[in-house]
Amino acid sequence: MVLPFEKEYRERYYQLLDQVFESNFWSDGRMTRTFEEKFEEFTGLYSCAVTSGGAGLLSILEYAGVKGKEVIVPANTFWATAQAAKKAGAKVVYADCNREDLCMNYEDMVSKVTPDTKAVIVVHIGGHIAFDIEKIASFCEEHKIALIEDCAHAHGAQWNGKTAGSYGLAGSYSFYATKTMPLGEGGMIVSRDKDLIAWMKKFRNYGKEVINGKIVTYPMKEGFNYRINEFTAALGVVQLEHMPVILEWKRMLARKFDQIFDKTVIFPEGMQSGYYKYIVFDQNLSEETGKVFNYTDFGNEIEGIKLELPNSYWVAEHHKCAPIYYGWDKAQMTAEEIKVYLLG
Ligand SMILES: Cc1ncc(COP(=O)(O)O)c(C=O)c1O
């Protein structure tokens, strides 16, 4: 598989690289600001670029002050979600998912809350917004629990106009090489809270910030280096210009898959997925991109803890992903041809 990065986007990238060289800033410069501003337009949220999706989660957890407290995470996610909470010094408590959307189940999450619960991390698995997010957000607000959104899969997702990262305290996107918006590496913290993002901009740089070309240092004992470099930021600007093409391409293919598969994720009114994955249940496919997760990827399994999480284990067993990655060479076939190709 070749990651499609068409000639026009390469040329645009080379132009921006020239701007970086001419600016004399290879880190913490104008290109990072431009990338953040454009991401703000994309999600409607304040944004702070960081080195990875995991670094973004860890930063938000540090901000929320979870050390010595409990953080509820879904079992069925990539280990990064739980690991970020562990690295931030929290005890991880695993919650079950729904079979319908693969995302955190509200009732199970509520049943896991204790007086020590400091945060809940919802993962928008597969590229759509978690169906229970409104209920989870109201509960967290009422009980003063920080709601953190892992948006690693959710580029381009929205539900009635609300993007991933806009329901809770903050969210973290990943730009890892296989994501819907790949930069090779990188992440973006998003939030409705301007002050939180101002804190992040210092936190990612040991308490320093470059303002109008001058380094300003703040007293901040927590800070570390989660800066991105200006070359990655330039690629970020280009990929944001590319995103409408990538998303429309995936949605075009999803419309064909919708004609082929009936056992899939059925979206509620107003949901628009970014289609990081196209999930099907109980289906043999001639070509697939595996599973979003196997049960061996569950955080509790990695920690060696046996838990009753019936929906998570059911989903791990019964789902797989039809090939919806940008550039799939069969995408231009008709729905009927794809059906014959995938199902025989
Ligand atoms: C659900 C989820 N959360 C977090 C991450 C971590 O992102 P990164 O690899 O950019 O640290 C990933 C993927 O890599 C992921 O799939």
Side-chain angles (χ1 to χ4, degrees):
M1 174 198 152
V2 177
L3 272 182
F5 192 55
E6 299 86 341
K7 193 162 178 281
E8 62 187 290
Y9 296 103
R10 290 182 199 200
E11 279 166 4
R12 172 82 172 125
Y13 181 48
Y14 303 145
Q15 258 178 13
L16 294 185
L17 287 183
D18 276 338
Q19 284 184 26
V20 172
F21 288 120
E22 277 152 28
S23 77
N24 247 343
F25 277 85
W26 287 20
S27 181
D28 222 349
R30 187 61 232 156
M31 201 58 77
T32 302
R33 308 283 169 272
T34 305
F35 180 31
E36 289 166 344
E37 282 159 20
K38 290 200 176 290
F39 208 80
E40 288 179 1
E41 286 166 24
F42 181 61
T43 60
L45 297 163
Y46 298 111
S47 301
C48 172
V50 286
T51 39
S52 69
L57 286 175
L58 185 58
S59 307
I60 301 166
L61 287 153
E62 289 270 357
Y63 181 86
V66 300
K67 193 171 178 182
K69 300 285 183 184
E70 291 175 5
V71 176
I72 302 178
V73 307
N76 60 315
T77 172
F78 183 52
W79 174 233
T81 319
Q83 178 72 326
K86 289 174 81 70
K87 292 274 178 207
K91 178 180 175 228
V92 174
V93 177
Y94 295 100
D96 205 1
C97 69
N98 300 306
R99 294 186 185 197
E100 292 73 22
D101 69 341
L102 283 64
C103 298
M104 187 180 272
N105 172 276
Y106 169 73
E107 283 81 16
D108 197 59
M109 182 279 289
V110 170
S111 77
K112 304 273 160 75
V113 169
T114 74
D116 274 342
T117 306
K118 188 76 187 174
V120 169
I121 310 180
V122 168
V123 186
H124 300 297
I125 294 274
H128 50 268
I129 308 275
F131 293 2
D132 286 352
I133 193 71
E134 295 276 5
K135 284 193 281 182
I136 295 172
S138 309
F139 179 90
C140 287
E141 200 176 327
E142 193 185 325
H143 293 84
K144 310 244 176 310
I145 295 169
L147 171 59
I148 298 167
E149 296 172 66
D150 184 335
C151 311
H153 299 182
H155 314 72
Q158 48 170 294
W159 194 3
N160 293 322
K162 281 188 82 169
T163 53
S166 61
Y167 292 88
L169 175 71
S172 177
Y173 284 77
S174 165
F175 304 123
Y176 178 59
T178 59
K179 299 295 189 250
T180 300
M181 187 181 142
L183 305 184
E185 297 290 351
M188 189 70 81
I189 300 168
V190 297
S191 179
R192 290 170 294 168
D193 184 346
K194 200 175 183 174
D195 295 340
L196 178 147
I197 293 297
W199 187 90
M200 293 298 171
K201 288 190 177 171
K202 302 174 186 91
F203 178 78
R204 72 169 168 201
N205 191 7
Y206 300 111
K208 288 186 298 169
E209 210 177 347
V210 178
I211 299 175
N212 299 328
K214 293 210 168 27
I215 297 174
V216 181
T217 306
Y218 303 89
M220 186 187 230
K221 60 179 172 22
E222 307 93 332
F224 202 63
N225 175 9
Y226 296 123
R227 298 182 299 258
I228 61 159
N229 63 63
E230 291 283 283
F231 308 102
T232 298
L235 187 55
V237 171
V238 181
Q239 287 292 56
L240 277 171
E241 291 166 3
H242 201 184
M243 275 306 277
V245 175
I246 295 174
L247 288 171
E248 183 38 44
W249 192 95
K250 282 175 169 268
R251 287 175 181 143
M252 171 276 294
L253 186 51
R255 286 193 289 275
K256 293 182 190 175
F257 284 164
D258 287 345
Q259 294 172 46
I260 301 171
F261 301 110
D262 50 2
K263 282 188 268 172
T264 180
V265 176
I266 310 294
F267 297 129
E269 197 57 36
M271 178 76 79
Q272 201 172 32
S273 177
Y275 287 110
Y276 172 54
K277 300 284 179 186
Y278 190 98
I279 293 154
V280 295
F281 299 105
D282 298 317
Q283 195 81 68
N284 285 326
L285 302 175
S286 66
E287 187 181 340
E288 45 167 287
T289 55
K291 293 175 184 281
V292 189
F293 42 75
N294 283 294
Y295 81 89
T296 46
D297 301 319
F298 290 4
N300 62 298
E301 292 282 342
I302 291 171
E303 291 202 66
I305 309 167
K306 291 287 162 209
L307 292 174
E308 280 291 307
L309 300 162
N311 292 344
S312 302
Y313 283 89
W314 183 91
V315 157
E317 174 79 22
H318 290 268
H319 89 282
K320 56 183 57 154
C321 303
I324 201 164
Y325 59 87
Y326 183 57
W328 183 48
D329 62 358
K330 309 286 185 303
Q332 299 311 329
M333 287 177 162
T334 64
E336 199 44 47
E337 286 165 343
I338 293 176
K339 183 175 178 182
V340 171
Y341 172 71
L342 289 178
L343 302 180

